[in-house]
Amino acid sequence: MVTQINGSVVKAFDILKLFDEDRNEVTTTDVATELDLNFVTAHRFLRTLEHVGALVAVAKGRYRLSYVFVDLGDRVTGGDLLGQTLQPLLNAITADLQEAAMATVFQSDMVVCIARAVSRRQLSVDIRVGSRLEAYCTAHGKTWLAFMSERQRAHYLDTVERLRFTRNTVVERATLERQIAEVRELGHAFNDSEREDGIRAVAVPILARGGRMIAGLSVFGPASRMTDEITQLALARLQHAARDAGGLLYGQIAAPSA
Amino acid sequence: MVTQINGSVVKAFDILKLFDEDRNEVTTTDVATELDLNFVTAHRFLRTLEHVGALVAVAKGRYRLSYVFVDLGDRVTGGDLLGQTLQPLLNAITADLQEAAMATVFQSDMVVCIARAVSRRQLSVDIRVGSRLEAYCTAHGKTWLAFMSERQRAHYLDTVERLRFTRNTVVERATLERQIAEVRELGHAFNDSEREDGIRAVAVPILARGGRMIAGLSVFGPASRMTDEITQLALARLQHAARDAGGLLYGQIAAPSA
DNA sequence: ATAGATATTTCAAATATAGCAATATATATC
DNA sequence: GATATATATTGCTATATTTGAAATATCTAT
């Protein structure tokens, strides 16, 4: 027999899970009917969640999530949990493929490296933790642009100065928007010498269960080594790593969906 | 007698509250000693929190918060909860002082209006929900700059093009940094014709319990009406409103500290 | 290999919880 | 304003769940 699980706590979190993107308020009647609880029991659980600061009563019998979850969420994302969590995954990919791998977040309209792995034969990779890259001409960047809100993306494209780094750099907005839509469709992005001549990359998103992009993962290297075959292999490894990341960030009880 | 509160749920949230900025991992022994629980009981609660997806085991007997709290936090901040929550507070301030009031968030290096109240005599206030303002020359903006992370602020000051809108616009970085430090010290910011001639404003931050700035609140109007006396009165009303906002966002069980 | 610390499971006593019933309050209708 | 209905809240108690001692298993340090 396994460890005894506390039923009350399970019910409390079942209530919290009723809140979703389309539902920011929940009533006692909702809880009783959807969780198959006695009305009085539902009432008592809601009052308990209010008591501990998890819910706020907006009217009698109607509740919404408290801002305390923003604080708890900040505790999860503060510090370097994400970089530390993803580093072993990057190490494994680089050990496997002998090409550099990187994890990024999107901050102040730039792609920022939060973890990287470099193989022994790559002594002069120019990326380090903290490095910032433009979004419009990188595989990471196109992934971020694909999965951010439309409003944030429109603002980015309205304001970014799109320099042409190489002959391959896409600067026309319409072309960019088509490429970004394709990345969203495929779930990954490629880069072939857009930011730096002779460098190819493939990137995938790590998505939160709520749909928001948490981080990007990529493999990159010289075009001479990043053949179509290696690139496809790298893509498969990155997709697998993104799923593993979900397990590490959320725990293993529910397989994250890509 | 009041509503029966479920002790198990209270204990579970007591465990979640052990995590703070300086502590992203908690052990079974920690929980047992700090919450005065039997070791077996602590063990069972931690396993239950892991079971519901709230915690992730990083090793045997050691846990951290799951990414599920980022999702719950996103549900709190998604939609327009903040704007809707703050609107009645702004309405009350404007009814009281007969000057315009505004709430903002900071997004993509700009101050963005999420709610505003305008009195009857102000038929031509140029600000509406969604309006974006520069940070370096507005009361709101200086409040945001004062309470954001040092790294984010340095990046903002490194990259923003500081146009001189009026004779009063401060564009020298050293002067700006001194002013921002003073705002952090005082807990509020003033603006006197920096962004637009003849317009004065006073702004305060709304801070999350974790310390992060959630929103800014301000009162603004023509210098001819925004006398020093009215400005001080506005400041007091804004500070009171910021405290009320805490009560609305977190629930009334703990008075928020400004 | 051994000692000590920590984690996990079994079992039963203790107690907190769940739900019925009653009462209070709110809302809709006339 | 009166009435009916729906929802919220409280009192009470039977019982289901939780708690903690004891035993066992596993891990870590020496």
Side-chain angles (χ1 to χ4, degrees):
Chain A
M1 189 203 288
V2 295
T3 302
Q4 186 183 289
I5 296 295
N6 187 301
S8 297
V9 176
V10 173
K11 285 188 182 120
F13 274 84
D14 284 342
I15 294 173
L16 295 178
K17 287 165 183 165
L18 292 177
F19 294 89
D20 60 25
E21 278 167 29
D22 304 315
R23 174 192 232 166
N24 53 27
E25 284 184 12
V26 146
T27 67
T28 317
T29 304
D30 291 339
V31 171
T33 56
E34 291 177 43
L35 299 184
D36 196 28
L37 293 174
N38 179 277
F39 186 92
V40 181
T41 303
H43 172 73
R44 290 206 183 94
F45 272 101
L46 286 164
R47 293 303 290 266
T48 302
L49 286 166
E50 183 185 8
H51 176 82
V52 301
L55 296 183
V56 173
V58 296
K60 285 232 176 161
R62 287 170 78 234
Y63 300 84
R64 62 166 180 73
L65 292 170
S66 158
Y67 229 81
V68 108
F69 291 108
V70 177
D71 293 342
L72 285 169
D74 283 350
R75 282 187 202 131
V76 177
T77 57
D80 188 34
L81 167 72
L82 205 45
Q84 289 170 7
T85 301
L86 300 177
Q87 186 66 60
L89 299 176
L90 298 177
N91 295 345
I93 292 172
T94 293
D96 190 15
L97 300 181
Q98 293 298 310
E99 294 300 347
M102 170 169 65
T104 64
V105 293
F106 190 77
Q107 237 166 42
S108 300
D109 284 358
M110 299 290 280
V111 173
V112 182
C113 176
I114 57 166
R116 64 153 209 176
V118 183
S119 75
R120 279 207 166 83
R121 68 180 177 177
Q122 290 168 315
L123 299 176
S124 59
V125 168
D126 198 26
I127 296 290
R128 65 188 188 283
V129 169
S131 291
R132 317 169 71 91
L133 297 169
E134 299 78 6
Y136 69 92
C137 54
T138 56
H140 271 282
K142 291 184 184 185
T143 309
W144 281 104
L145 291 169
F147 290 96
M148 69 177 52
S149 71
E150 187 168 335
R151 190 163 73 165
Q152 194 181 357
R153 179 170 56 252
H155 176 254
Y156 175 83
L157 293 173
D158 284 345
T159 56
V160 69
E161 188 184 6
R162 298 193 288 276
L163 301 175
R164 191 184 294 268
F165 290 97
T166 71
R167 273 181 296 121
N168 279 22
T169 313
V170 175
V171 295
E172 293 85 12
R173 180 164 175 160
T175 312
L176 254 179
E177 284 178 327
R178 267 201 306 282
Q179 285 186 341
I180 290 163
E182 184 177 297
V183 167
R184 191 181 315 116
E185 186 100 353
L186 294 171
H188 56 266
F190 295 105
N191 181 8
D192 189 353
S193 298
E194 283 204 53
R195 177 62 177 63
E196 185 180 342
D197 257 325
I199 296 292
R200 283 180 128 196
V202 56
V204 302
I206 298 175
L207 300 177
R209 288 192 188 141
R212 144 156 74 126
M213 184 164 164
I214 299 172
L217 294 178
S218 73
V219 168
F220 60 99
S224 59
R225 294 206 300 263
M226 291 289 291
T227 58
D228 285 349
E229 185 186 4
I230 295 295
T231 302
Q232 287 303 318
L233 196 56
L235 175 56
R237 291 291 280 105
L238 290 168
Q239 285 167 334
H240 192 272
R243 284 196 298 279
D244 287 348
L248 294 171
L249 295 171
Y250 286 94
Q252 296 288 359
I253 40 165
S257 56
Chain B
M1 192 204 284
V2 295
T3 303
Q4 183 183 289
I5 295 295
N6 188 300
S8 298
V9 175
V10 172
K11 285 186 183 122
F13 275 84
D14 284 344
I15 293 172
L16 295 178
K17 287 166 184 164
L18 291 177
F19 295 87
D20 60 25
E21 278 169 29
D22 303 317
R23 174 192 233 164
N24 53 26
E25 284 184 9
V26 145
T27 66
T28 315
T29 304
D30 290 339
V31 172
T33 57
E34 292 178 44
L35 299 183
D36 196 29
L37 293 175
N38 180 278
F39 186 93
V40 181
T41 302
H43 171 73
R44 287 200 186 100
F45 272 103
L46 286 164
R47 293 301 291 265
T48 301
L49 287 165
E50 183 187 8
H51 174 83
V52 301
L55 297 183
V56 173
V58 295
K60 283 228 176 164
R62 285 171 79 234
Y63 299 86
R64 61 166 180 75
L65 292 171
S66 158
Y67 228 80
V68 108
F69 290 108
V70 177
D71 294 340
L72 285 169
D74 282 350
R75 282 190 200 127
V76 179
T77 57
D80 186 36
L81 168 70
L82 205 45
Q84 289 170 5
T85 302
L86 300 178
Q87 186 65 58
L89 300 176
L90 298 177
N91 294 346
I93 292 172
T94 293
D96 190 16
L97 301 180
Q98 292 299 310
E99 294 300 347
M102 171 169 65
T104 63
V105 294
F106 190 76
Q107 238 168 40
S108 299
D109 285 355
M110 298 290 282
V111 174
V112 182
C113 175
I114 56 166
R116 67 151 206 179
V118 181
S119 77
R120 279 203 165 84
R121 68 178 175 178
Q122 291 169 311
L123 298 176
S124 58
V125 167
D126 199 23
I127 296 289
R128 65 188 189 283
V129 169
S131 292
R132 316 169 74 89
L133 297 169
E134 299 78 6
Y136 70 92
C137 54
T138 57
H140 271 282
K142 291 184 184 183
T143 309
W144 281 103
L145 291 169
F147 290 96
M148 69 178 52
S149 74
E150 187 167 337
R151 192 164 74 165
Q152 193 181 357
R153 178 168 57 250
H155 176 254
Y156 175 83
L157 293 173
D158 283 347
T159 56
V160 68
E161 187 185 4
R162 296 192 289 279
L163 300 176
R164 192 184 293 269
F165 288 99
T166 71
R167 272 180 297 119
N168 280 21
T169 313
V170 174
V171 295
E172 293 84 13
R173 180 162 177 163
T175 310
L176 253 179
E177 284 178 326
R178 265 199 308 280
Q179 286 188 341
I180 291 164
E182 184 177 298
V183 169
R184 191 180 316 117
E185 188 100 351
L186 294 171
H188 57 267
F190 295 107
N191 180 10
D192 189 352
S193 296
E194 282 206 55
R195 174 64 175 65
E196 184 181 342
D197 257 324
I199 297 292
R200 283 179 129 195
V202 55
V204 302
I206 298 175
L207 299 177
R209 287 189 188 143
R212 158 187 13 159
M213 184 165 164
I214 297 172
L217 295 178
S218 74
V219 169
F220 59 99
S224 60
R225 294 205 300 263
M226 291 289 291
T227 58
D228 285 350
E229 185 188 4
I230 294 296
T231 302
Q232 287 304 319
L233 196 55
L235 175 55
R237 290 292 278 106
L238 290 167
Q239 285 166 336
H240 193 271
R243 284 196 299 278
D244 287 349
L248 293 171
L249 294 171
Y250 287 93
Q252 296 290 356
I253 40 165
S257 58

